[in-house]
C-alpha cells in the first residue's frame, strides 16, 4: 500500500468518525452532540422571542445580541462540520435539512445589512425536527416518510381536485353576483368569488351574506359542497399512505457520503448517490 493510499484511508477514518458523531445518534457521542444541538437551537429561539418584547429588549437587549452571535458562530461551525464530514457535501447542501440549516444561519448575517432580518431566526424552530431522529422515535419518522411519499404520489390528483374546486367557486361566485344585488355586498364578480371561497371552505367570515331567497338557496348548495369536498383530498392522501406503508422497512442510518436517509433495510449502497452505506 502506498503512502498516498495510507493517507487517503486516514482521511476517510476521521471523516467517517466525524460523520458518526454529527449525523448518527446510535452512539453516546452522537446522541450527546444531537441533544446539545437541540438545547442550543431551543435556547436561541427563546432568546429571539424574548428579544422581541420591548420591555425585555430595553433591559437585556445587549446581552441577547451577544448571545445571538454566539449561537450563530456555533451553528456556523456545526454547518461546516456537516459539510466536511461527508464525501459529497453538495448533496447535503441541497437536501431539505441542509436548506433548513442554511436558512437558519442567513438571518444573522443578513441583519448586518438589513435591519430587522434577525426576526427571521425563528426559522430555527424547523431544526427541532431532528428530535425524531435523536430519540429514535421510529414510528414518527416512518409516518413522516409515508406522508412525504403520499403527497408526492397524490400531487397530480390533488392539483386536478383544486382546479375543479376553483372552477366551481368561479361559477358559484358568478351566479351569486347575478342573483344578489350590489347593495347586498356582491358588488363585482371577484368579490362574489371571494365569498364563494370563504363559504366553500367552511370559514364563513360573515362580512358578506346573501339576502334574497334564491341567494340563500345558492349559499346552502355551496355550504353542502364545502362539506362534501373535505373528504376528497383526505381519501386521496389516505390511499397513497396505505400504498407507501407497504414498502420495505427503512434503515435509520444516513449515508456517509450525502447524508440522505430512507434506505431499505437490506440496502448496501445509497439509493441517492450510489455510495456504500458501510464505508
Amino acid at each position: 500500500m502506498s503512502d498516498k493510499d495510507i493517507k487517503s484511508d486516514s482521511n476517510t477514518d476521521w471523516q467517517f468518525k466525524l460523520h458518526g458523531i454529527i449525523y448518527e445518534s446510535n452512539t453516546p457521542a452522537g446522541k450527546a452532540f444531537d441533544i446539545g444541538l437541540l438545547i442550543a437551537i431551543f435556547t436561541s429561539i427563546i432568546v429571539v422571542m424574548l428579544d422581541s418584547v420591548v420591555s425585555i429588549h430595553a433591559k437585556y437587549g445587549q446581552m441577547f445580541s451577544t448571545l445571538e452571535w454566539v449561537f450563530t458562530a456555533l451553528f456556523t461551525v456545526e454547518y461546516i462540520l456537516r459539510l466536511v464530514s461527508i464525501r459529497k457535501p453538495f448533496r447535503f447542501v441541497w437536501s431539505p435539512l441542509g436548506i433548513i440549516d442554511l436558512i437558519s444561519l442567513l438571518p444573522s448575517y443578513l441583519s448586518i445589512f438589513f435591519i430587522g432580518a434577525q426576526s427571521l431566526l425563528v426559522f430555527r424552530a424547523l431544526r427541532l425536527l431532528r428530535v425524531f431522529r435523536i430519540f429514535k422515535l421510529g414510528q414518527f419518522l416512518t409516518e413522516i416518510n409515508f406522508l412525504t411519499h403520499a403527497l408526492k404520489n397524490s400531487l397530480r390528483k390533488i392539483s386536478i381536485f383544486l382546479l375543479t374546486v376553483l372552477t366551481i367557486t368561479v361559477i358559484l361566485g358568478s351566479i351569486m353576483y347575478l342573483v344578489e344585488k350590489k347593495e347586498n355586498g356582491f358588488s363585482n364578480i371577484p368579490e362574489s368569488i371571494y365569498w364563494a371561497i370563504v363559504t366553500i371552505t367552511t370559514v364563513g367570515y360573515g362580512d358578506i351574506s346573501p339576502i334574497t331567497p334564491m341567494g340563500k338557496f345558492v349559499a346552502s348548495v355551496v355550504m353542502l359542497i364545502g362539506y362534501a369536498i373535505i373528504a376528497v383530498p383526505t381519501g386521496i392522501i389516505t390511499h397513497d399512505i396505505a400504498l407507501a406503508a407497504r414498502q420495505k422497512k427503512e434503515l435509520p442510518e444516513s449515508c456517509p457520503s450525502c447524508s440522505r436517509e430512507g434506505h431499505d433495510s437490506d440496502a448496501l449502497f445509497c439509493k441517492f448517490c450510489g455510495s456504500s452505506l458501510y464505508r
Side-chain angles (χ1 to χ4, degrees):
M1 182 179 292
S2 64
D3 293 340
K4 185 177 181 181
D5 292 334
I6 294 175
K7 185 177 180 180
S8 178
D9 290 341
S10 177
N11 290 338
T12 303
D13 286 340
W14 73 261
Q15 195 175 35
F16 188 79
K17 291 178 182 178
L18 186 60
H19 175 273
I21 295 175
I22 295 178
Y23 285 97
E24 306 297 345
S25 58
N26 52 4
T27 62
K31 191 167 185 178
F33 175 85
D34 286 341
I35 292 177
L37 176 62
L38 276 184
I39 294 174
I41 294 171
F42 186 77
T43 305
S44 68
I45 295 171
I46 295 297
V47 168
V48 173
M49 294 173 63
L50 292 177
D51 194 38
S52 65
V53 180
V54 178
S55 59
I56 299 179
H57 174 78
K59 192 173 182 180
Y60 303 104
Q62 186 60 42
M63 182 185 71
F64 288 155
S65 178
T66 302
L67 286 174
E68 183 47 51
W69 280 108
V70 170
F71 286 125
T72 299
L74 289 175
F75 295 144
T76 301
V77 172
E78 179 244 342
Y79 184 76
I80 295 173
L81 290 176
R82 288 188 181 276
L83 295 180
V84 301
S85 64
I86 54 179
R87 292 189 290 268
K88 299 179 180 179
F90 285 103
R91 296 269 186 171
F92 172 75
V93 171
W94 297 111
S95 67
L97 284 178
I99 293 174
I100 290 174
D101 289 351
L102 184 60
I103 290 176
S104 69
L105 285 174
L106 289 179
S108 293
Y109 295 107
L110 290 176
S111 65
I112 300 175
F113 307 100
F114 304 100
I115 298 176
Q118 62 271 20
S119 61
L120 298 176
L121 290 172
V122 293
F123 280 112
R124 286 179 181 168
L126 294 174
R127 302 191 69 194
L128 292 174
L129 292 173
R130 296 183 186 276
V131 72
F132 295 121
R133 181 173 61 87
I134 293 170
F135 295 105
K136 292 185 177 296
L137 301 181
Q139 62 184 31
F140 293 101
L141 279 175
T142 302
E143 294 303 323
I144 290 175
N145 289 333
F146 288 164
L147 183 59
T148 301
H149 292 312
L151 290 177
K152 288 181 180 179
N153 294 334
S154 60
L155 181 60
R156 184 176 179 180
K157 289 177 280 189
I158 293 294
S159 300
I160 296 174
F161 167 74
L162 291 177
L163 179 61
T164 303
V165 173
L166 179 61
T167 303
I168 293 175
T169 55
V170 171
I171 294 174
L172 293 175
S174 301
I175 292 175
M176 287 299 292
Y177 171 73
L178 297 175
V179 171
E180 292 291 326
K181 304 300 181 181
K182 293 183 178 180
E183 56 269 19
N184 294 336
F186 298 86
S187 56
N188 51 61
I189 292 180
E191 193 74 20
S192 301
I193 293 175
Y194 157 76
W195 169 86
I197 294 174
V198 171
T199 304
I200 207 169
T201 55
T202 69
V203 176
Y205 289 125
D207 51 346
I208 306 175
S209 58
I211 302 298
T212 64
M214 181 58 67
K216 291 181 179 180
F217 172 77
V218 175
S220 300
V221 173
V222 174
M223 296 174 194
L224 293 175
I225 292 176
Y227 278 106
I229 65 175
I230 290 177
V232 176
T234 303
I236 293 174
I237 296 176
T238 301
H239 174 263
D240 287 318
I241 288 178
L243 292 178
R246 297 172 185 172
Q247 296 180 354
K248 292 183 179 180
K249 184 179 180 181
E250 298 178 342
L251 289 171
E253 288 80 8
S254 61
C255 173
S257 292
C258 67
S259 80
R260 297 288 294 275
E261 298 179 353
H263 306 96
D264 295 338
S265 58
D266 57 350
L268 298 177
F269 298 91
C270 177
K271 63 182 179 183
F272 301 104
C273 69
S275 300
S276 174
L277 295 176
Y278 305 96
R279 302 179 62 181

